[in-house]
Amino acid sequence: MTGLFILGGATAIATALGMWWQRHHGSAIATNGQTEHHEGSADVGVSAGSPTVVHFTADWCGPCAAVRRVIQDTLPDFPGVSHVELDINEHPELSRDLGILSLPTTLVYDSAVQQRFRIPGVPTRETLSDALISAFGQQS
């Protein structure tokens, strides 16, 4: 009987943790330019004058393809916003310096090359749109 209580408790804890993870994974976290500008950003296509969505990926990352589809579906509504996709294996120093700890991770930079949002996991179209609207104004 005690074993059933332990199993039930473990199941409840695992369910609660899973629900918490699902709720927070893919959410936009406002950074409001508080992160340092990295000089290597310009080398990969993030430059002043153009807002940019930076998507960190790897060949072995299955969910990264879903992020790519969300970005390709969302950015036509935001003319002037660029998209840069970076493989962490090709840019390990930049990934480390920007604190990319899990894949996929998407960063939203403003036209002054200040990081405005960090989105770990796969964002929804709505989450990405809301982050872009918040950072750059209304969509077209």
Side-chain angles (χ1 to χ4, degrees):
M1 191 66 156
T2 303
L4 287 176
F5 286 123
I6 292 171
L7 181 62
T11 302
I13 291 170
T15 300
L17 286 174
M19 291 172 65
W20 177 85
W21 175 260
Q22 185 68 25
R23 172 180 282 187
H24 296 299
H25 204 64
S27 299
I29 302 165
T31 57
N32 298 320
Q34 296 170 352
T35 58
E36 283 188 36
H37 169 69
H38 190 276
E39 57 212 34
S41 299
D43 297 337
V44 296
V46 180
S47 59
S50 174
T52 307
V53 173
V54 179
H55 166 211
F56 284 88
T57 186
D59 290 338
W60 48 265
C61 175
C64 292
V67 175
R68 188 177 306 114
R69 286 189 298 273
V70 169
I71 291 170
Q72 289 172 347
D73 187 40
T74 306
L75 286 190
D77 293 340
F78 297 89
V81 176
S82 304
H83 172 224
V84 176
E85 186 170 328
L86 299 175
D87 189 306
I88 62 164
N89 297 316
E90 295 173 15
H91 304 280
E93 184 177 325
L94 180 61
S95 301
R96 183 182 59 249
D97 291 348
L98 292 174
I100 306 303
L101 301 176
S102 64
L103 291 180
T105 296
T106 305
L107 306 176
V108 177
Y109 285 90
D110 63 17
S111 58
V113 196
Q114 295 296 311
Q115 189 184 119
R116 299 289 302 275
F117 287 94
R118 173 181 288 260
I119 307 171
V122 180
T124 63
R125 185 182 194 293
E126 180 180 15
T127 298
L128 183 57
S129 291
D130 289 348
L132 291 169
I133 289 169
S134 176
F136 314 118
Q138 291 297 322
Q139 65 192 57
S140 64

